[in-house]
Amino acid sequence: MVNRLTPANTSLALKTVGLICILSFVVDFLFLIFPFQPTDRLWLINLFRNLVDRGIVPLVGVGLIVAAYGIESNDSSRSLDLRLPTFILSSLLGLLFFVIGPLHAINVNQYKVQTLDRYNREANELETQVKAQAAQVQTQLNNQQVKDALEKQKAALKEQLAGQLNELVKDEQKYNEAIKNPLIPAPQKDLLQKYKTNPKALDEFIANQTDPQQIATQRATQIRDQKEQRLKKTEEDALKEVRVTLSSFLLSIAFVIIGWTGLRNSGVLQGGASKRKAPAR
């Protein structure tokens, strides 16, 4: 009695867990496709990635159901045979993940190209604006009144910065605290270090900070650096998506092997049917 109930109980447990795994994937799939946006390439990328990441769940479910029937006794008292639906579902999932692989790679590549083009275009537009603003400021500096106003601003800025720098330079403790303070920008620390040995470094700093061409050059450099960082990150993110494509093909192989092998052994496929129609003579 115990020996007959143990396989039956184990089989029931495996079927139950297997069905839960499959139903869990179906529920996730239904929630993932809403809102339905098939024309949005980023939506498709996220959908395919999430499906592949969850693909191992139905694979485990199919494997548990197949294993459940493998340990059952060969009696004919089964009320419901799940093998055929499981093999059909496995074959369909194999086809689904086989299609997802190349589609995901195409979408990722197209999205990467569009993103890189957009980043390059935005950076070029910003650099053009910076150059135009610098030229406009340079033209305004030809006006004597504007030039005089700028000189006054330089003098006021120099007086303010000199007072702050002198206070730090005279107090060694405050000087060291300022140098070690992570909240103080690196250019200001560099100015403080230079000013300690050469007070004329302040004049050079102010000249650079108020020169339109120098400002434009610094801003253009920042724009190019930011563009390079964004381009690099986009390339790295696209490369990471190769994992999704490879995982999709691996899932497809596993599902197809289980599904088609089961259908052939069940006599559904033509090969299996021909074998079953060939009785011994």
Side-chain angles (χ1 to χ4, degrees), residues 87-214:
F87 294 143
I88 294 175
L89 176 63
S90 182
S91 300
L92 293 176
L93 288 175
L95 178 61
L96 173 65
F97 285 107
F98 180 79
V99 172
I100 283 178
L103 285 180
H104 184 71
I106 293 172
N107 284 327
V108 168
N109 183 66
Q110 292 180 348
Y111 182 77
K112 182 190 72 172
V113 171
Q114 292 178 353
T115 303
L116 295 179
D117 289 342
R118 186 175 77 251
Y119 288 161
N120 284 316
R121 185 174 62 255
E122 291 176 352
N124 292 334
E125 291 175 354
L126 287 175
E127 284 194 52
T128 302
Q129 293 176 6
V130 168
K131 292 179 181 178
Q133 292 172 358
Q136 183 179 4
V137 172
Q138 190 66 46
T139 301
Q140 293 175 349
L141 289 177
N142 294 329
N143 188 311
Q144 190 61 38
Q145 293 181 349
V146 175
K147 187 181 295 186
D148 293 341
L150 180 60
E151 291 299 327
K152 290 181 180 180
Q153 292 178 359
K154 287 183 179 180
L157 179 61
K158 180 179 179 180
E159 182 179 357
Q160 178 184 0
L161 290 178
Q164 296 174 354
L165 293 172
N166 287 328
E167 182 180 355
L168 293 174
V169 169
K170 292 177 180 178
D171 191 328
E172 193 67 22
Q173 182 178 355
K174 291 183 178 180
Y175 174 83
N176 292 328
E177 290 177 354
I179 294 298
K180 296 178 181 179
N181 191 344
L183 300 179
I184 298 179
Q188 296 182 13
K189 292 181 180 180
D190 183 60
L191 172 62
L192 178 59
Q193 291 174 327
K194 290 180 178 179
Y195 185 81
K196 186 176 182 180
T197 57
N198 181 21
K200 292 183 178 181
L202 179 59
D203 295 329
E204 182 181 354
F205 177 80
I206 293 177
N208 291 334
Q209 294 298 316
T210 56
D211 180 34
Q213 294 300 328
Q214 187 68 23

Side-chain angles (χ1 to χ4, degrees), residues 6-142:
T6 299
N9 291 337
T10 304
S11 174
L12 179 60
L14 292 175
K15 291 178 187 176
T16 302
V17 176
L19 285 173
I20 293 300
C21 290
I22 293 174
L23 291 176
S24 175
F25 176 78
V26 173
V27 171
D28 285 341
F29 176 78
L30 293 177
F31 276 94
L32 286 173
I33 63 175
F34 290 104
F36 192 61
Q37 300 173 341
T39 58
D40 188 342
R41 186 165 284 111
L42 183 59
W43 179 84
L44 287 173
I45 291 174
N46 291 328
L47 173 64
F48 292 157
R49 185 192 306 116
N50 285 312
L51 288 178
V52 171
D53 289 342
R54 291 166 169 80
I56 193 67
V57 176
L59 180 61
V60 171
V62 169
L64 290 176
I65 293 176
V66 173
Y69 284 101
I71 64 175
E72 279 188 351
S73 59
N74 294 323
D75 55 23
S76 59
S77 61
R78 300 187 184 100
S79 59
L80 179 62
D81 195 335
L82 298 176
R83 285 177 295 180
L84 181 58
T86 300
F87 294 143
I88 294 175
L89 176 63
S90 182
S91 300
L92 293 176
L93 288 175
L95 178 61
L96 173 65
F97 285 107
F98 180 79
V99 172
I100 283 178
L103 285 180
H104 184 71
I106 293 172
N107 284 327
V108 168
N109 183 66
Q110 292 180 348
Y111 182 77
K112 182 190 72 172
V113 171
Q114 292 178 353
T115 303
L116 295 179
D117 289 342
R118 186 175 77 251
Y119 288 161
N120 284 316
R121 185 174 62 255
E122 291 176 352
N124 292 334
E125 291 175 354
L126 287 175
E127 284 194 52
T128 302
Q129 293 176 6
V130 168
K131 292 179 181 178
Q133 292 172 358
Q136 183 179 4
V137 172
Q138 190 66 46
T139 301
Q140 293 175 349
L141 289 177
N142 294 329

Side-chain angles (χ1 to χ4, degrees), residues 215-226:
I215 294 174
T217 301
Q218 293 176 356
R219 179 56 182 155
T221 301
Q222 291 176 355
I223 292 173
R224 287 192 289 269
D225 290 342
Q226 291 175 358

